[in-house]
Amino acid sequence: MAALLVTDDPADPLLDEVATENGFPVPRIRVLNLNFHFPVSHGEMPLKSNVIQAANVSETTLTEILDNGAIEYTDNGGLYVTGYPFNFWMEVDENRKLLVMYTYWHTLPEVDELEMLRFVNQSSGSKIMLQFYYNADYGRFYAYYTHPYHVGLLPPHVLKLCQKFTAIFEEVVHDGIAKGLLQELPECPYDADDGEEVAAAADGTVH
């Protein structure tokens, strides 16, 4: 097989047969300068970054992202997001540059603590993103997620994280209900003839 010679000599062509080895030509490849910009065609605008710089991330930033995404929220001891299947809190840890999401659901009063701890370990080990823990004193099954934003936040990505957070937690809660560990979810029927949403429907997690 022919050898491969690499050179950074700008005078060399991209592929140039410069020698032979065992009767085969040896291609020489010029190292390209990667500090380049794609040309923009006439009438096209270059793409603009929508990243929110880390220094500008705050709770106000989060509410603006939710507003732009038409996601409902309120103040419930912090920024409390209600526009997804499970309500959850979202906050900014400015010191550690972390976006924090957390929520909980209720365990059954007679739940076996050892079985509950096994369920917590199983869920934490099998699910992406979320970490879980059990507070026996309050009878609550918690889910947490932290997302670093040292390089900033992209608003569409934040909304996607919210969606994934609640979807994963909902799946785990249904699993816990099936195992006889967590309380049943409230039934919140919606009567389309009324022309009004049942208020509880937006409050899937009655915390």
Side-chain angles (χ1 to χ4, degrees):
M1 179 178 293
L4 185 66
L5 302 179
V6 179
T7 176
D8 59 359
D9 183 354
D12 289 334
L14 183 60
L15 287 172
D16 183 20
E17 295 181 2
V18 297
T20 60
E21 181 181 45
N22 297 326
F24 293 95
V26 179
R28 180 168 56 189
I29 298 178
R30 175 164 53 88
V31 177
L32 300 179
N33 179 7
L34 298 181
N35 295 320
F36 62 91
H37 300 279
F38 288 107
V40 178
S41 301
H42 179 70
E44 293 182 2
M45 295 296 293
L47 295 176
K48 293 184 178 180
S49 173
N50 199 26
V51 175
I52 301 172
Q53 298 302 314
N56 298 327
V57 174
S58 64
E59 184 172 309
T60 301
T61 306
L62 300 183
T63 59
E64 290 175 351
I65 293 174
L66 296 173
D67 286 337
N68 292 334
I71 304 300
E72 296 180 353
Y73 61 90
T74 186
D75 183 0
N76 186 8
L79 180 57
Y80 189 58
V81 184
T82 60
Y84 293 95
F86 264 88
N87 301 342
F88 63 96
W89 286 269
M90 185 162 56
E91 61 186 37
V92 173
D93 185 336
E94 296 184 4
N95 292 329
R96 296 186 296 167
K97 296 290 187 292
L98 292 175
L99 173 63
V100 183
M101 301 177 186
Y102 62 96
T103 190
Y104 67 84
W105 190 240
H106 309 278
T107 62
L108 290 173
E110 67 278 8
V111 69
D112 181 88
E113 184 170 353
L114 182 58
E115 288 299 317
M116 191 64 212
L117 292 175
R118 286 174 177 164
F119 178 67
V120 168
N121 290 336
Q122 175 194 352
S123 300
S124 293
S126 63
K127 299 300 179 183
I128 62 171
M129 291 179 53
L130 279 62
Q131 290 295 305
F132 306 92
Y133 84 89
Y134 168 51
N135 187 315
D137 293 334
Y138 291 97
R140 294 175 178 176
F141 172 62
Y142 283 89
Y144 276 84
Y145 173 66
T146 57
H147 178 76
Y149 64 86
H150 296 84
V151 296
L153 280 179
L154 192 63
H157 185 58
V158 173
L159 296 177
K160 187 65 176 179
L161 290 175
C162 293
Q163 183 183 30
K164 292 291 292 183
F165 178 85
T166 57
I168 294 170
F169 188 61
E170 183 179 25
E171 181 181 346
V172 172
V173 167
H174 280 295
D175 189 24
I177 292 172
K179 287 179 166 61
L181 301 172
L182 302 178
Q183 294 185 22
E184 292 282 348
L185 297 172
E187 294 185 6
C188 303
Y190 169 64
D191 187 351
D193 294 334
D194 291 343
E196 296 180 359
E197 291 187 63
V198 178
D203 195 13
T205 52
V206 185
H207 292 155

